[in-house]
Amino acid sequence: AAISHKIAELRERTARATDGRLQRTDAALSARPAVKLACWESLCASEVGVGRKSEVDALRREAAVKAVSVLLATITPSLVSLATFAALTLSGEPLHAASVFSSLSLFNALRAPLSALPDLFSSLAHARVALSRLQKVVPDKTSQ
């Protein structure tokens, strides 16, 4: 849940950066005749570049958090297996082939659902941000 909240926060930051870049681009394109007449192309390009740099930085942060999420989902079954067998060994219980292989089979069965969690968290975060942005634009007719 903490990772999902962080992804949502970073997604919101990325959306704001994208909006800023698009506003700068739109302003430069709308004022195209004046920009050409005054030779402000490099100024407009640098303004759009600043917006793009901010957007790329936000995208990198979001990608890093998603990578950590995927990493955790990938190594969790192995760590759980290791911890389980270590605890069993330290408790003095003997390891039998039947219990080891059946346990490994169960832990392996958990890999697929766990590997889907990062995508689920990311999709939920994106949906939450999109919904909050839509609610700002589209009026709520039920409250009127």
Side-chain angles (χ1 to χ4, degrees):
I3 291 177
S4 178
H5 288 294
K6 187 64 176 174
I7 289 173
E9 174 187 313
L10 290 171
R11 183 69 215 144
E12 182 69 37
R13 186 181 301 171
T14 302
R16 281 194 309 269
T18 301
D19 289 346
R21 179 185 56 84
L22 290 175
Q23 286 173 351
R24 289 175 174 158
T25 303
D26 185 51
L29 290 175
S30 296
R32 188 178 57 246
V35 168
K36 286 289 194 184
L37 185 64
C39 297
W40 289 339
E41 291 95 346
S42 61
L43 177 64
C44 289
S46 67
E47 279 296 311
V48 172
V50 167
R52 181 64 184 151
K53 183 184 180 322
S54 172
E55 182 182 13
V56 168
D57 289 344
L59 284 168
R60 278 196 180 117
R61 285 189 198 101
E62 186 178 346
V65 172
K66 286 179 185 177
V68 168
S69 176
V70 168
L71 175 70
L72 289 175
T74 302
I75 66 171
T76 298
S78 299
L79 291 178
V80 169
S81 300
L82 180 68
T84 301
F85 293 130
L88 189 62
T89 303
L90 291 174
S91 70
E93 290 291 321
L95 292 176
H96 299 291
S99 62
V100 169
F101 287 120
S102 61
S103 298
L104 284 175
S105 173
L106 289 171
F107 292 138
N108 201 27
L110 289 175
R111 278 191 194 274
L114 282 176
S115 67
L117 283 179
D119 290 334
L120 176 69
F121 289 152
S122 178
S123 296
L124 287 174
H126 285 251
R128 194 169 85 195
V129 169
L131 184 62
S132 69
R133 290 169 61 90
L134 278 173
Q135 287 174 339
K136 291 177 186 174
V137 176
V138 179
D140 184 15
K141 299 209 188 254
T142 59
S143 64
Q144 293 176 359

